[in-house]
Amino acid sequence: TAYLEAKSAKRHLVWLRLEATEEKKSYPEQEESAVVLVLGDPQTSPVWGAAAMQMEIGEKAAFTIKRKAIDFDPEGLNPTDDTSSWIVELLRVFEVTDVHQDFQQVLHIEKPGSKDKAEDLDNVAVHWRVRRWMAEGCFCIASSRERIAILPGYGLVPIEDQNAPLVTISV
């Protein structure tokens, strides 16, 4: 449970597939993708983390969840449908490093490097997000998940694609 504490260098990243059974709607809509969450992140609904902690990898389970518990998503990345019946599938879990222990910079080290040779750097897969603080709020102004969508009545608008591939860097 150390990864749920406010200050911790180790966290768990979970991949979930969610289905609102009453609406017959899946999240994410693409079959080969998943909703990715850091367990304990204060910016996501604790409901999905609590469901994931009760499951084994590969397990599918049905949950009845009150709408009020799901309706917390300041980032706009998690489903908040008006339904109470959900099927949750836990696809995988990775241990990640929380650089500043604040859920803002989470790194999954794919292959650890060596201290002996500088060319053996750690390979890390990341998603990044830049925010601008303004009086109206703290808006996301750039993201590795940013895509352009065509929305009726709005035209071309930037969105964050939950299924965007990770960006690989060496550290």
Side-chain angles (χ1 to χ4, degrees):
T1 60
Y3 56 89
L4 292 175
E5 294 175 8
K7 293 285 187 183
S8 176
K10 296 295 180 190
R11 305 278 183 204
H12 284 98
L13 199 62
V14 296
W15 274 255
L16 300 173
R17 189 165 295 128
L18 308 170
E19 181 183 341
T21 55
E22 295 166 9
E23 298 176 2
K24 299 199 183 316
K25 188 172 180 183
S26 294
Y27 294 93
E29 294 177 7
Q30 300 83 1
E31 189 157 322
E32 295 299 318
S33 54
V35 173
V36 182
L37 305 171
V38 179
L39 291 181
D41 185 350
Q43 295 297 318
T44 61
S45 173
V47 167
W48 305 121
M53 288 190 292
Q54 296 178 37
M55 301 173 68
E56 297 290 328
I57 295 173
E59 180 182 0
K60 270 188 179 181
F63 290 91
T64 301
I65 304 168
K66 293 186 179 193
R67 167 83 170 113
K68 190 173 185 178
I70 293 174
D71 193 25
F72 173 77
D73 185 31
E75 298 292 324
L77 298 175
N78 301 315
T80 57
D81 288 49
D82 195 16
T83 185
S84 60
S85 297
W86 293 85
I87 294 177
V88 178
E89 181 180 6
L90 180 60
L91 301 173
R92 60 185 161 192
V93 178
F94 286 147
E95 186 173 281
V96 295
T97 301
D98 188 347
V99 177
H100 293 291
Q101 301 181 12
D102 61 358
F103 295 95
Q104 299 300 311
Q105 296 180 31
V106 180
L107 303 176
H108 172 239
I109 299 176
E110 292 178 333
K111 182 179 122 191
S114 166
K115 294 180 182 179
D116 300 332
K117 295 193 289 184
E119 62 268 7
D120 288 340
L121 299 175
D122 291 343
N123 285 331
V124 178
V126 299
H127 280 299
W128 54 266
R129 184 180 296 137
V130 177
R131 298 188 174 282
R132 174 178 290 158
W133 186 88
M134 300 171 67
E136 297 84 20
C138 189
F139 299 101
C140 180
I141 59 172
S143 168
S144 63
R145 294 178 171 166
E146 186 173 22
R147 303 293 183 261
I148 300 296
I150 301 173
L151 296 178
Y154 296 97
L156 297 173
V157 295
I159 62 167
E160 273 205 352
D161 180 7
Q162 179 68 32
N163 308 308
L166 295 166
V167 178
T168 302
I169 61 171
S170 293
V171 293

